[in-house]
Amino acid sequence: YDKIRKHNSELYVKSYDENILQEYQNVYNSRFAKDNISFLTQECFQIGYSLETQRITIPIRNAYGEIIGIKGRANWEVDAEEPKYLYLVSCSMSSTLYGYCQNYKYLSNGDIIIFEAEKSVLQCHSYGIYNCVSLGSNSLSITQCKLLMELNPKKIIFMLDKSLDYENTKIN
């Protein structure tokens, strides 16, 4: 599996025209505001809303700022069997880092904080902390590692969720 994954890591990742965002409502979200994601940050990251799925929309962009997918967050309390997040437009998240293009000028030659989820990047942005990106998962891909190394960071700080034990986190 690892050999197959390595050979496919450089595959072309489809990008979408900006017009894809017109399929969703361009509105501020009170759920995110209650979670300390300011309206200014929601606007900067183009957070929207899908009337069809009743989910908050989170555009996922590649390092060049092109949309490569859209993640949807349930706008209700979910139970254990229900996914809180799912892709409304499928995406190769391992090919990018969420927040990379928006926070690029704050990432180069300094400390970089890496989170597991996009929401943490949004919260930090709301507090004026711009040297953050997220993996969109709990493991670092080779492509994501290359993106980080291109920034020539002084220090990389991993702030992953506690869902995995320490040994599995180190491996991932």
Side-chain angles (χ1 to χ4, degrees):
Y1 177 77
D2 286 339
K3 288 180 183 177
I4 294 169
R5 197 166 129 186
K6 284 179 186 174
H7 290 298
N8 289 331
S9 66
E10 300 297 327
L11 289 177
Y12 171 76
V13 176
K14 181 178 174 142
S15 63
Y16 299 88
D17 189 274
E18 289 292 318
N19 290 334
I20 196 169
L21 295 179
Q22 292 178 2
E23 296 177 28
Y24 309 104
Q25 299 294 305
N26 182 18
V27 295
Y28 298 123
N29 186 274
S30 61
R31 175 178 284 277
F32 271 19
K34 289 176 189 168
D35 287 338
N36 300 313
I37 299 171
S38 72
F39 293 145
L40 185 63
T41 294
Q42 290 184 44
E43 186 176 320
C44 177
F45 285 80
Q46 293 179 293
I47 303 301
Y49 193 74
S50 168
L51 290 175
E52 182 181 333
T53 65
Q54 299 296 297
R55 290 180 177 271
I56 302 163
T57 58
I58 305 168
I60 307 296
R61 296 180 178 276
N62 64 18
Y64 307 106
E66 300 167 322
I67 296 173
I68 61 169
I70 298 178
K71 193 178 253 189
R73 199 269 188 220
N75 198 29
W76 62 89
E77 294 302 318
V78 297
D79 56 33
E81 294 82 40
E82 201 173 15
K84 189 184 289 186
Y85 290 90
L86 57 82
Y87 284 99
L88 303 178
V89 175
S90 63
C91 171
S92 176
M93 191 64 209
S94 64
S95 70
T96 193
L97 292 161
Y98 184 77
Y100 186 94
C101 67
Q102 294 92 338
N103 293 332
Y104 181 78
K105 66 182 176 183
Y106 304 101
L107 298 171
S108 189
N109 298 311
D111 296 347
I112 300 174
I113 303 169
I114 301 176
F115 293 100
E116 192 170 316
E118 298 83 4
K119 195 170 158 185
S120 299
V121 173
L122 298 170
Q123 289 168 325
C124 283
H125 188 277
S126 295
Y127 287 113
I129 303 167
Y130 306 117
N131 60 329
C132 304
V133 293
S134 78
L135 303 173
S137 72
N138 58 16
S139 61
L140 180 67
S141 73
I142 292 169
T143 304
Q144 289 171 327
C145 190
K146 287 178 183 178
L147 286 172
L148 289 168
M149 291 301 102
E150 288 173 2
L151 295 169
N152 192 29
K154 289 182 182 170
K155 187 187 311 181
I156 295 176
I157 303 159
F158 284 93
M159 303 287 287
L160 303 180
D161 297 352
K162 294 188 274 183
S163 60
L164 292 177
D165 65 36
Y166 181 70
E167 285 304 312
N168 281 336
T169 300
K170 277 190 351 184
I171 291 167
N172 289 343

